[in-house]
Amino acid sequence: MKALVFGADDFEDLELFYPYHRLKEEGITTHVASMKKGPIKGKHGYEINADVAFKDINPADYDILVISGGKGPEKMRLDESALEIARHFFKENKPVAAICHGPQVLVSAGVIKGRKATCWIGIRDDIIAAGALYEDKEVVIDGNFVSSRSPDDLHAFGREMIKLLK
């Protein structure tokens, strides 16, 4: 099994590192993807190496997509390859987990309409305008899609993300 974790500079450190390590604890091969291969830095200064650039990914090779939050999604949503990857996961009904600002990528990919979701309160109106059915809960599950609001919700986010894979 293989996981793909989206990140970009200014990602929320906990929202990338927690799911990354949680997936690895389950024995899942986990790759970090960004606009380019190489180091990316979280908003609290922690770095992680992006294993692969979005443009070099074959999404068929992966079983789950995780989209970290923070300010990274504002950059990721402008990358057409990242959007195509997100569209692939929804089209193939593969597991997708997005936290905080992560759903911004899904808004730009055009895949959130009609889906139950939650997010950081600051983008609530954006996902509602894109047609999502917003719920203010620590974790919202809609079929293959799990979403959470913030680092405070990581316990529920991680639990439900792993359930999608079982």
Side-chain angles (χ1 to χ4, degrees):
M1 189 164 282
K2 288 174 72 175
L4 190 59
V5 179
F6 276 15
D9 283 334
D10 295 320
F11 63 87
E12 170 53 57
D13 304 54
L14 288 171
E15 294 170 354
L16 189 147
F17 283 105
Y18 176 81
Y20 174 81
H21 287 291
R22 185 67 191 88
L23 289 160
K24 288 176 76 87
E25 285 173 356
E26 293 292 322
I28 297 166
T29 301
T30 306
H31 295 145
V32 175
S34 193
M35 281 77 70
K36 59 182 173 50
K37 190 176 174 177
I40 56 174
K41 186 183 279 191
K43 67 184 208 175
H44 300 290
Y46 292 94
E47 285 191 3
I48 193 165
N49 202 45
D51 303 295
V52 62
F54 296 134
K55 67 180 178 58
D56 297 326
I57 292 169
N58 178 359
D61 293 341
Y62 293 90
D63 303 294
I64 184 171
L65 172 62
V66 179
I67 306 173
S68 63
K71 295 182 180 178
E74 292 178 26
K75 299 170 181 103
M76 295 184 280
R77 74 187 305 186
L78 301 176
D79 188 293
E80 187 57 38
S81 295
L83 302 180
E84 283 300 320
I85 293 164
R87 290 180 191 118
H88 167 86
F89 273 82
F90 275 85
K91 183 176 144 225
E92 298 298 321
N93 204 34
K94 292 180 177 183
V96 175
I99 188 165
C100 189
H101 287 74
Q104 288 178 313
V105 174
L106 305 178
V107 167
S108 294
V111 295
I112 204 163
K113 185 176 184 177
R115 301 301 297 259
K116 291 188 293 183
T118 195
C119 60
W120 179 253
I121 192 73
I123 66 161
R124 174 194 60 202
D125 294 344
D126 301 325
I127 73 165
I128 291 169
L133 308 170
Y134 175 79
E135 296 181 21
D136 184 16
K137 297 186 341 193
E138 68 183 9
V139 66
V140 173
I141 302 107
D142 183 357
N144 67 314
F145 176 45
V146 170
S147 56
S148 284
R149 302 171 298 193
S150 72
D152 291 341
D153 302 330
L154 280 166
H155 64 285
F157 182 72
R159 178 187 68 233
E160 298 302 329
M161 173 187 71
I162 296 303
K163 280 184 186 176
L164 285 179
L165 297 172
K166 304 239 173 180

